[in-house]
């Protein structure tokens, strides 16, 4: 296995990130918030350091199957490491592990933070923090595929490996054309949300920051209380684009060509919208049923409830209300359950993805039928589409690994003296790339109090969840490293 193609790609990635860092550096310079030009220094030094690596490996143009796995994982890790340098040298993070935690949380679009006073940060750092989430969503996937032709290799292997969801579907015969279309949708939705939010009291800077963190379903906000104190107009706009970000981007392409009926004809989209409506309705109705008609909603109206359900389901992680005040506690338990589900496959959301959950449910129901009729041939269908056994096998494997690492993280957190509610919440949040969770790490809390070992475990789980587990675990097998 030759590492030269990998080094070439990683060098190009560093140069791209260095150029992006010049924008926060320019904001830093114009605002006069820092006089030592540390962002320019980081960008310039990184760009120059990457040039000789790129030059020495410039003739390497072929990726093997093994290279695809390695460059995927290293690309994400390197982006997180590079992204942590501006945080650390800004002086607003107490230690480098805290800066790295924030960067990994950003790149994986988790939205978990160790910051207790976000509004005290300079605009340059807030913008870089939001931009990390934007490129960590669908953006970094498209950028990666767009760069691969320069290396002389098709991007299809990497597309199938990195594209969020259980399976990808090409919209055009050429994968590079598909990447350009996805990038167009991603940038277009971000720009439209920015324009709509700019008309609110947020102002242009907060508007672009939230547009950067909504489309990748990330959830980093520029406000200490997230979206809690924002107007209903702002919450409604962000709610709409969270739903869009949680929808399969291939479906957006179909709707552009075939009309809005494409959404209605998609079975997974109906499951997606139906789950939002069902959980929101149950949470809103439970207090009235439990109190014989009196209002015990703890101040959370219809909009805030739907917003919070969508934020957790799509793994965006914004908070519009303190859901830890919700009672009875079954409402919080329902949100906890949504952390595992995720939105549609092919979206920028985290979690297991709704289509996987539906496939597992269909498989379990089919096995019950087969128990009664052992000789019957009963296909597993989602809508009119028959799901192949290979897809079911991979889905079950993913599910088992997901649950295994969830319990591993929860056990590790509990061994560190963290109470069970907080341990389970943090583990589910990390694996699902959610952000806020329960207990000590709820919607109004941060992860600053998490022990150092716990932060590294969380970072590992964030990467597992974002890279769909298999891309990371395959690097730990003996078979991968055999010649």
């Amino acid at each position: 296995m030759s590492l030269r193609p990998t080094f070439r790609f990683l060098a190009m990635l560093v140069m791209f990130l260095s150029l992006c860092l010049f924008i926060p550096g320019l904001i830093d310079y114009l605002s006069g918030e820092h006089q030592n030009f540390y962002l320019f220094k980081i960008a310039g030094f990184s760009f120059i350091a990457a040039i000789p690596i790129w030059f020495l490996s410039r003739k390497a143009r072929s990726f093997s199957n093994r290279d695809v796995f390695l460059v995927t994982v290293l690309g994400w890790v390197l982006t997180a490491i590079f992204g942590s340098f501006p945080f650390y040298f800004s002086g607003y993070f107490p230690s480098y592990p805290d800066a790295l935690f924030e960067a990994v949380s950003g790149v994986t679009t988790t939205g978990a933070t160790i910051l207790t006073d976000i509004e005290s940060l300079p605009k340059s750092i807030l913008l870089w923090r939001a931009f990390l989430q934007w490129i960590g969503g669908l953006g970094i996937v498209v950028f990666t595929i767009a760069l691969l032709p320069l290396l002389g290799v098709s991007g299809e292997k990497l597309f199938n490996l990195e594209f969020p969801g259980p399976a990808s579907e090409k919209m055009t015969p050429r994968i590079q054309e598909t990447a350009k279309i996805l990038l167009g949708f991603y940038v277009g939705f971000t720009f439209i949300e920015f324009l709509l939010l700019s008309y609110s009291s947020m102002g242009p800077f907060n508007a672009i920051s939230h547009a950067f963190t909504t489309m990748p379903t990330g959830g980093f906000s520029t406000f200490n209380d997230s979206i809690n104190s924002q107007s209903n107009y702002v919450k409604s706009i962000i709610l709409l684009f969270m739903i869009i970000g949680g929808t399969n981007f291939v479906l957006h392409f179909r709707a552009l060509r075939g009309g809005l009926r494409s959404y209605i004809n998609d079975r997974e989209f109906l499951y997606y919208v139906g789950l939002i409506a069902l959980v929101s309705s149950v949470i809103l109705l439970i207090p009235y049923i439990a109190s014989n008609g009196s209002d015990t909603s703890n101040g959370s109206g219809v909009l805030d409830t739907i917003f919070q359900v969508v934020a957790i389901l799509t793994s965006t992680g914004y908070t519009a209300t303190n859901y830890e005040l919700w009672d009875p506690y079954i409402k919080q338990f329902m949100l906890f359950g949504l952390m595992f589900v995720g939105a549609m496959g092919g979206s920028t959301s985290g979690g297991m993805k709704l289509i996987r959950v539906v496939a597992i449910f269909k498989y379990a129901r089919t096995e019950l039928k087969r128990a009664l009729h052992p000789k019957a041939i009963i296909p597993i269908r989602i809508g009119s589409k028959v799901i192949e056994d290979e897809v079911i096998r991979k889905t079950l494997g993913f599910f088992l690994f997901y649950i295994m690492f969830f319990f591993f993280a929860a056990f590790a957190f509990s061994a560190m003296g963290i109470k069970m509610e907080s341990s389970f919440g943090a583990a589910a949040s990390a694996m699902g790339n959610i952000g806020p969770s329960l207990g000590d790490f709820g919607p109004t809390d941060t992860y600053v109090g998490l022990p150092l070992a716990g932060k590294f475990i969380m970072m590992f789980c964030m990467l597992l969840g974002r890279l769909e587990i298999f891309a990371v675990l395959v690097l730990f097998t003996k078979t991968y490293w055999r010649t």
Side-chain angles (χ1 to χ4, degrees), residues 222-453:
T222 55
F223 305 114
N224 290 333
D225 61 351
S226 191
I227 312 298
N228 290 33
S229 59
Q230 300 303 305
S231 65
N232 288 340
Y233 171 79
V234 170
K235 292 178 180 179
S236 299
I237 295 300
I238 293 178
L239 172 61
L240 171 63
F241 283 91
M242 283 195 298
I243 294 175
I244 291 174
T247 303
N248 191 332
F249 273 67
V250 175
L251 192 55
H252 295 316
F253 177 74
R254 288 181 188 167
L256 182 65
R257 288 193 169 183
L260 297 179
R261 185 171 293 275
S262 300
Y263 292 110
I264 301 175
N265 293 336
D266 187 90
R267 183 61 61 94
E268 187 187 4
F269 182 77
L270 296 180
Y271 287 142
Y272 174 47
V273 175
L275 183 60
I276 293 173
L278 175 63
V279 176
S280 300
S281 299
V282 171
I283 290 176
L284 287 168
L285 290 175
I286 281 177
Y288 292 93
I289 298 174
S291 59
N292 296 322
S294 61
D295 184 5
T296 60
S297 59
N298 303 110
S300 296
V302 175
L303 178 59
D304 287 346
T305 300
I306 298 175
F307 186 101
Q308 204 59 64
V309 168
V310 172
I312 297 297
L313 179 63
T314 61
S315 77
T316 308
Y318 286 133
T319 57
T321 181
N322 186 1
Y323 55 78
E324 283 195 306
L325 299 178
W326 288 1
D327 57 53
Y329 294 113
I330 188 174
K331 297 198 292 184
Q332 296 183 41
F333 183 81
M334 293 177 73
L335 290 183
F336 177 71
L338 291 180
M339 292 182 182
F340 294 88
V341 178
M344 295 181 66
S347 70
T348 59
S349 72
M352 288 189 285
K353 301 296 189 300
L354 181 59
I355 192 65
R356 282 197 182 104
V357 177
V358 172
I360 292 172
F361 175 79
K362 295 274 188 178
Y363 172 77
R365 190 176 66 176
T366 301
E367 285 301 308
L368 290 176
K369 294 180 181 179
R370 289 172 179 171
L372 295 174
H373 307 283
K375 297 183 180 181
I377 299 176
I378 307 174
I380 301 173
R381 300 177 183 271
I382 296 181
S384 59
K385 185 176 182 180
V386 177
I387 307 301
E388 299 177 0
D389 290 340
E390 181 183 2
V391 175
I392 293 296
R393 187 176 68 252
K394 291 181 179 179
T395 301
L396 289 174
F398 176 87
F399 174 76
L400 292 175
F401 274 121
Y402 194 100
I403 297 300
M404 182 179 70
F405 279 102
F406 161 72
F407 277 110
F408 161 75
F411 175 81
F413 295 149
S414 298
M416 296 173 192
I418 301 172
K419 61 184 181 181
M420 184 175 295
E421 178 187 6
S422 303
S423 297
F424 276 80
S429 177
M431 288 299 301
N433 304 126
I434 309 296
S437 57
L438 300 170
D440 296 333
F441 312 114
T444 60
D445 305 301
T446 71
Y447 290 85
V448 66
L450 190 65
L452 180 62

Side-chain angles (χ1 to χ4, degrees), residues 5 9 60-65 67-68 71 144-158 175-176:
F9 174 80
R61 294 186 177 276
S62 61
F63 270 123
S64 67
N65 290 334
D67 292 334
V68 171
V71 75
T144 301
I145 299 169
L147 287 174
L148 282 180
L150 300 178
L151 303 176
V153 66
S154 169
E156 185 170 0
K157 293 177 183 177
L158 190 57
I175 198 69
Q176 287 79 17

Side-chain angles (χ1 to χ4, degrees), residues 6 9-10 13 66-80 107 158 161-162 460 463-464 467 469-476 480:
T6 300
F9 174 80
L10 296 179
L13 178 61
R66 300 185 183 192
D67 292 334
V68 171
F69 288 96
L70 186 63
V71 75
T72 299
V73 177
L74 290 183
W76 284 77
V77 172
L78 184 62
T79 303
V107 171
L158 190 57
L161 186 63
E162 265 197 344
F460 179 70
L463 287 170
L464 279 178
L467 295 179
I469 297 179
F470 290 115
V472 179
L473 294 186
V474 73
L475 299 182
F476 293 91
Y480 178 82

